[in-house]
Amino acid sequence: MKETEQIIRTEYSELMQKSYIDYAMSVIVARALPDVRDGLKPVQRRTLYDMHELGIRFDKPYRKCARIVGDTMGKYHPHGDSSIYDALVVMAQEFKKGMPLVDGHGNFGSIEGDGAAAMRYTEARLKKITQEAYLADLDKDVVDFGPNFDETEREPLVLPVKVPNILINGAEGIAVGMATSIPPHNFGEVIEGVKAYMKNPDINTEQMMEHIKGPDFPTGGIVVNKDDLISIYSTGTGKIKIRGRVEIEKGKGGKDKIVITEIPYTMIGLGIGKFLNDVYHLAESKKTTDIVDISNQSSKEGIRIVIELKKGADAERICNLLYKKTRLEDTFGVNMLAVADGKPETMGLVPIIRHHVNFQYEIASRKYRTLLRKEQEKKEIQEGLIRACDVIDLIIEILRGSKNIKEAKACLVEGETGNITFKSQASKKQAAKLRFTERQAAAILEMRLYKLIGLEIEALIKEHEKTLKNIQTYETILGSRTAMAKVIIKELDAFKKEYASERKTTIENAKEIVLEEPKMEEMDVVFLMDRFGYAKTIDVAAYERNKEAADSENRYVIVCKNTDKIGLFTNQGQMHLLKAADLPYGKFRDKGQPVDNLSNYSSSEEHLVFVSSLTGMKERKLLFATKTGMLKIVDGSEFDVSKRTTAATKLGSADEVVQVGYCEEGVHLVLQSKKGMFLRIEASAVPEKKKGALGVRGIKLSAEDEVTEVYFLLPGESRKISLKDKELELSRLRVGSRDTKGVKHG
């Protein structure tokens, strides 16, 4: 029999909203953001736990990363293997993490952006710090465990991390509608900050920063806005300005070298290649003529980018130019967002440490409660065994007189003697008084005979004394928050002594770079642009010498100033501006540069209909003609704008600009359509409008016809065009009225 279908009627928008919120929260909490307690995202936590479970300890041989990734994916993280391997690689990269958690063996990528080798080639194991401070005590019930994705395994919901990893290693992640960006900090400083909070929970951000000076990037560099750090660490958001470290080396013959030995943290990866290109572009575009050569001499020993200068060059000015025009000075956006108590929260420095310290007390409490329970169980068994040694003859008699283990255990625990055969009535009476606990009875029944040797009994008594001492210690720790704090601080001091390192990043207040651009000497140049879109400027004298070739080989030839801007008008109704100073200036036969690269114009999406200098437009009128026959005149001063791209005219749907041109006094327009219709009108019949207006109809077009050409006829000008193997004299066309059909030719 077919099952009855159950149809649930619901509002679609409500269903979509609920589904999207569920998805967003899943990404936020279960993928992209770290937990404030251990500073780890789920993929990092699962990878480290899996390595711990596989026994890939710091003192054991390396294991293939493919094995680690496969095991993590199969047991705990049901996502792509690349996400797991990427997380593993980042945890092993010393240039990304303040304290790497994985010891990588093989090619794990480079600071210059080279990727790691495939996971089948690389190997890894846990670092010692990871084993001691991140994964220790997992067997002591210090954190909660939950089922994995298919409920076949159990995994920790958080790792018992004993140092504030979220600050030491920082974090970066993009969730849905939010992102986190926490810089790394110095290991030793952060531990001092935790100790300071434990001694004074009312500590403020300024007092905390006496211990945690600021970020400590693994790439070094210089933080130059020290005064902004208090605000950043109070609110959890802000911008840190970092500069690379630069040294000026004196060279032979007065030729100095600028040597970059540390880069901003944001330049890791492909940023170095971009920096080299930016410096090359500065030299090529004549922003500076003092740079002779640039070379990347970086190696395993560290970063070394060498910029060679001309003799007598001002090295300080070049450094300022690099800070201003390249990523040698960059901004690290801080947004200290993490999952706290199951929800995302932006926190300052002190709240993050507060969460960490509360977590440490929780871990310590659970650890010492577990240890206390085990010691109390041990004490119970030890007391039972010691007592058993005193009446061992009676116990042997009970065992020999019992038919089975159940009878013997009942006698030891409850004093039941009915089913047991005794040698004497006195033994029976004595046995009836025995009252061992279940646990003690089990231990007595499992005890081996060699335990009755005198030395073994002495060892048992000593062990019992040690157990009593441990119980007293654990009860003291659990009974006083001060005592527990001492234990936590002692452990932190041990970590600091073994793993702390010198600060790499310098923190200071530096002056804002003020770069005085050398004033350009204004002069006349000639803008040349060929039919392929390559443009350049040349000297007026060079143009005069090659006038004939220049006019025939180039689509646009415009005399302008080198300080001028060039307007590129397109069929899509846009005007793109480019600075004449950005164009290569040189010889007539130089190739030039594509205007696509120097402006927002894209030759693949639009084509040019008119090009003019901005100065040339200001005092003149421009006429716009479109495919659907719309016309208007616009004052050229409207195009004197600062934006690189602006809408030059408003277009109707499916319309485009056919022609733009200067509208001189007395000019006549000849509009030609695809179906051979021609209309000659006076330009004065076209109204002047704003650039944002649509225009008026210039010619009535039949269905599926469109304007293909617009000719500008000056008074008295004679112009012929070819039309189906015939010539048409435009000046002989009768002058008509605007918004009429015109005359058919051809």
Side-chain angles (χ1 to χ4, degrees), residues 569-573 607 609-610 622-634 648-652 655-663 669-672 679 681 686-687 693-699 701 706-712:
F569 291 81
T570 75
N571 64 317
Q572 299 298 318
H607 65 260
V609 293
F610 182 66
L622 268 71
L623 182 131
F624 286 79
T626 75
K627 187 168 72 174
T628 58
M630 302 300 284
L631 300 174
K632 71 171 179 182
I633 292 171
V634 182
T649 185
K650 187 178 179 181
L651 291 172
D655 201 2
E656 61 182 66
V657 179
V658 173
Q659 182 65 281
V660 178
Y662 288 127
C663 189
L669 305 174
V670 178
L671 283 70
Q672 178 184 352
L679 175 64
I681 61 171
V686 180
L694 202 58
V696 297
R697 191 160 62 176
I699 182 173
L701 296 168
E706 61 185 48
V707 173
T708 55
E709 293 288 345
V710 178
Y711 303 99
F712 290 74

Side-chain angles (χ1 to χ4, degrees), residues 591-603:
K591 191 175 182 182
Q593 241 184 312
V595 288
D596 298 52
N597 298 351
L598 300 168
S599 66
N600 291 338
Y601 167 66
S602 172
S603 57

